[in-house]
């Protein structure tokens, strides 16, 4: 037997006892008819939290982002500009093109999740009849592929002004926006004050079992609600899951700070090992995500490292790399590229589990570092 510490993602979290209680006791109705009291309460709560007029509860962040693209880009063949490392571009199966007929044009993300605003302004199109019309710019906060980076407020403000100057709406994929809010010590409404629409997810670090909200103006949400039905996202007694999202906002949001602190401890521990072949940019750990870099000088791939952390060797159990019950430890992680492995902290990881993960990671990293350093 082995003890598993799951650091693959913050979407592996389980609903809390308070969430389960709220789900069982939630007031229900038919949400397609606008009669589910719990969903209505959640949508009102989120709209107020973000300083916008209205919100729409949807099954997933992918659907939320797709709806934003479809509403903003009213004509098929329109163009939306997104970062080349954005979730919309990398992980949503090209839904904007497949379902909305929208061209996703990319701009190079910098390591901090931003991109060059001068370059962006030069990319805007629409005057030439040969070109598509740029109808949307989308950003991501925190930025997943960039290691959970928080976008600088000044940059978002400047981007917003550029978009307004050209009458192009700005959408924020805020799947982990509450992490950004906690990290910056700013209210969520400040982070999105220049955005025309926002997507916020409840099933990642906030620990709810399912769901996201799309937020914007009354007119925007009215159009999104109609399109949600077309995409199959119109749910009936959805309050049974929306209730968990309400609890998540109230009770789990303040706990995100502890996820960030644990991520810092993990990052600093790996950095402090001073290994030749494994490194972490501690200053780049803004929230709950830690990216481990593998040296390009060794043949080890990130997927191989992920697999090794899920194995328990004999020398581990014969030594100190085990639990107090003599169980081996498995750490689950994900490979983000050939040479980058991601570790993600979340509410289900206790201090004790963090130290078990550190024990395992330290053992494996030292073992592999010694192996490749002698070659």
């Amino acid at each position: 037997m082995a003890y598993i510490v799951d650091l693959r993602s913050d979407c592996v979290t389980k609903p809390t006892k308070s969430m389960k209680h709220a789900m069982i006791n939630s007031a229900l109705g038919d949400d397609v008819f606008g009669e589910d009291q719990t969903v209505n309460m959640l949508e009102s709560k989120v709209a107020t939290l973000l300083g916008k007029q209205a919100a729409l509860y949807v099954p997933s962040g992918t659907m939320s982002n797709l709806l934003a693209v479809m509403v903003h880009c009213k004509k098929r063949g329109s163009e939306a500009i997104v970062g080349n490392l954005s979730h919309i571009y990398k992980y949503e199966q090209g839904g904007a093109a497949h379902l909305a007929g929208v061209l996703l044009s990319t701009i190079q993300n910098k390591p901090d999740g931003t991109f060059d605003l001068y370059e962006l302004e030069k990319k805007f199109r629409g005057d030439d009849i040969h070109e598509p019309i740029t109808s949307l710019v989308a950003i991501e906060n925190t930025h997943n592929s960039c290691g959970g980076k928080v976008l600088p407020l000044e940059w978002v403000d400047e981007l917003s002004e550029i978009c307004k100057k050209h009458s192009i709406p700005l959408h924020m994929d805020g799947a982990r926006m509450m992490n950004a809010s906690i990290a910056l010590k700013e209210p969520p409404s400040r982070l999105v004050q220049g955005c025309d629409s926002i997507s916020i997810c409840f099933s990642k670090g906030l620990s709810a079992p399912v769901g996201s909200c799309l937020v914007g103006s009354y007119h925007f949400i009215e159009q999104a609600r109609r399109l949600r039905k077309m995409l199959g996202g119109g749910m009936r007694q959805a309050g049974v899951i929306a209730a968990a999202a309400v609890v998540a906002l109230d009770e789990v949001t303040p706990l995100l700070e502890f996820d960030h602190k644990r991520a810092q401890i993990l990052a600093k521990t790996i950095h402090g090992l001073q290994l030749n072949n494994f490194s972490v940019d501690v200053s780049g750990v803004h929230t709950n995500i830690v990216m481990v870099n593998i040296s390009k000088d060794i043949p080890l791939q990130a997927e191989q490292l992920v697999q090794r952390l899920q194995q328990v060797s004999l020398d581990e159990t014969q030594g100190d790399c085990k639990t107090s019950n003599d169980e081996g430890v498995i750490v689950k992680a994900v490979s983000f590229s050939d040479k980058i492995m991601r570790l993600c902290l979340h509410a289900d990881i206790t201090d004790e589990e963090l130290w078990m993960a550190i024990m395992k990671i330290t053992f494996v990293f030292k073992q592999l570092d010694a192996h490749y350093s002698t070659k």
Side-chain angles (χ1 to χ4, degrees):
M1 297 291 293
Y3 192 93
I4 298 174
V5 182
D6 197 340
L7 301 180
R8 286 174 298 172
S9 174
D10 45 10
C11 64
V12 303
T13 50
K14 305 295 193 302
T16 65
K17 290 181 180 179
S18 297
M19 290 180 191
K20 293 177 182 178
H21 181 269
M23 292 167 76
I24 292 171
N25 295 283
S26 55
L28 303 177
D30 191 312
D31 181 47
V32 174
F33 293 137
E35 296 173 354
D36 192 296
Q37 298 175 46
T38 306
V39 171
N40 292 343
M41 178 175 65
L42 172 64
E43 291 175 345
S44 176
K45 184 182 187 69
V46 173
T48 300
L49 182 70
L50 300 187
K52 303 300 179 183
Q53 293 178 341
L56 179 68
Y57 187 50
V58 298
S60 70
T62 295
M63 181 180 287
S64 185
N65 285 332
L66 177 59
L67 286 169
V69 171
M70 293 176 75
V71 175
H72 288 307
C73 302
K74 297 177 177 63
K75 294 182 180 179
R76 296 181 67 83
S78 297
E79 175 186 58
I81 299 177
V82 299
N84 70 311
L85 298 178
S86 67
H87 195 280
I88 291 177
Y89 181 69
K90 292 186 66 177
Y91 301 117
E92 297 180 10
Q93 286 196 14
H98 190 89
L99 298 171
V102 173
L103 170 68
L104 292 181
S105 293
T106 60
I107 184 168
Q108 188 80 19
N109 277 119
K110 296 180 181 180
D112 64 354
T114 66
F115 44 74
D116 187 279
L117 296 181
Y118 176 71
E119 180 186 347
L120 171 73
E121 202 163 9
K122 289 195 299 182
K123 289 179 73 70
F124 291 158
R125 299 191 285 181
D127 294 334
D128 190 324
I129 62 170
H130 301 88
E131 298 176 338
I133 299 173
T134 303
S135 302
L136 177 67
V137 174
I139 55 178
E140 186 176 334
N141 197 14
T142 66
H143 202 293
N144 180 24
S145 292
C146 292
K149 298 290 198 306
V150 178
L151 299 182
L153 280 177
E154 298 79 8
W155 180 84
V156 177
D157 290 343
E158 188 176 353
L159 168 61
S160 171
E161 289 303 313
I162 291 173
C163 288
K164 282 182 173 63
K165 182 174 71 173
H166 293 274
S167 299
I168 296 174
L170 176 62
H171 173 68
M172 179 183 286
D173 175 1
R176 295 180 175 89
M177 190 182 60
M178 298 310 295
N179 290 89
S181 174
I182 293 295
L184 289 176
K185 295 180 172 58
E186 293 281 357
S189 57
R190 172 63 185 90
L191 274 62
V192 302
Q193 68 180 19
C195 298
D196 298 280
S197 61
I198 309 100
S199 173
I200 177 173
C201 183
F202 308 116
S203 63
K204 291 189 170 66
L206 294 181
S207 302
V210 64
S212 292
C213 262
L214 180 63
V215 189
S217 68
Y218 290 127
H219 181 63
F220 173 84
I221 292 301
E222 182 182 23
Q223 295 175 81
R225 188 178 298 276
R226 182 175 180 83
L227 291 171
R228 181 189 69 171
K229 182 63 177 170
M230 182 184 71
L231 295 177
M235 300 176 285
R236 297 300 177 175
Q237 288 71 40
V240 73
I241 49 176
V246 174
V247 174
L249 288 170
D250 291 338
E251 297 185 6
V252 182
T253 297
L255 302 179
L256 294 176
E257 182 179 0
F258 297 105
D259 297 341
H260 298 177
K261 289 180 178 178
R262 291 183 181 113
Q264 280 290 323
I265 291 171
L266 178 58
K268 289 176 180 177
T269 301
I270 296 173
H271 177 74
L273 296 175
Q274 297 186 336
L275 303 174
N276 295 322
N277 298 301
F278 303 97
S279 63
V280 170
D281 175 16
V282 175
S283 64
V285 179
H286 293 180
T287 53
N288 64 322
I289 294 174
V290 177
M291 295 294 207
V292 177
N293 301 296
I294 303 170
S295 172
K296 296 179 181 179
D297 297 329
I298 63 174
L300 181 71
Q301 301 289 295
E303 186 56 42
Q304 294 173 293
L305 181 57
V306 168
Q307 292 174 7
R308 173 62 185 91
L309 288 170
Q310 295 187 58
Q311 298 167 354
V312 177
S313 62
L314 183 61
D315 50 351
E316 290 176 44
T317 55
Q318 289 180 339
D320 296 327
C321 189
K322 57 187 177 183
T323 69
S324 57
N325 297 323
D326 290 330
E327 291 180 304
V329 177
I330 286 174
V331 172
K332 290 188 175 183
V334 295
S335 59
F336 244 51
S337 69
D338 290 345
K339 292 292 184 178
I340 298 177
M341 182 183 76
R342 188 188 76 170
L343 300 163
C344 189
L345 280 296
H346 50 81
D348 286 359
I349 300 298
T350 64
D351 286 338
E352 182 182 3
E353 289 173 319
L354 172 63
W355 287 112
M356 282 192 282
I358 286 175
M359 176 178 62
K360 172 75 173 194
I361 290 168
T362 299
F363 182 93
V364 171
F365 281 21
K366 282 185 174 181
Q367 184 184 64
L368 291 172
D369 193 67
H371 172 74
Y372 286 108
S373 295
T374 57
K375 286 186 175 293

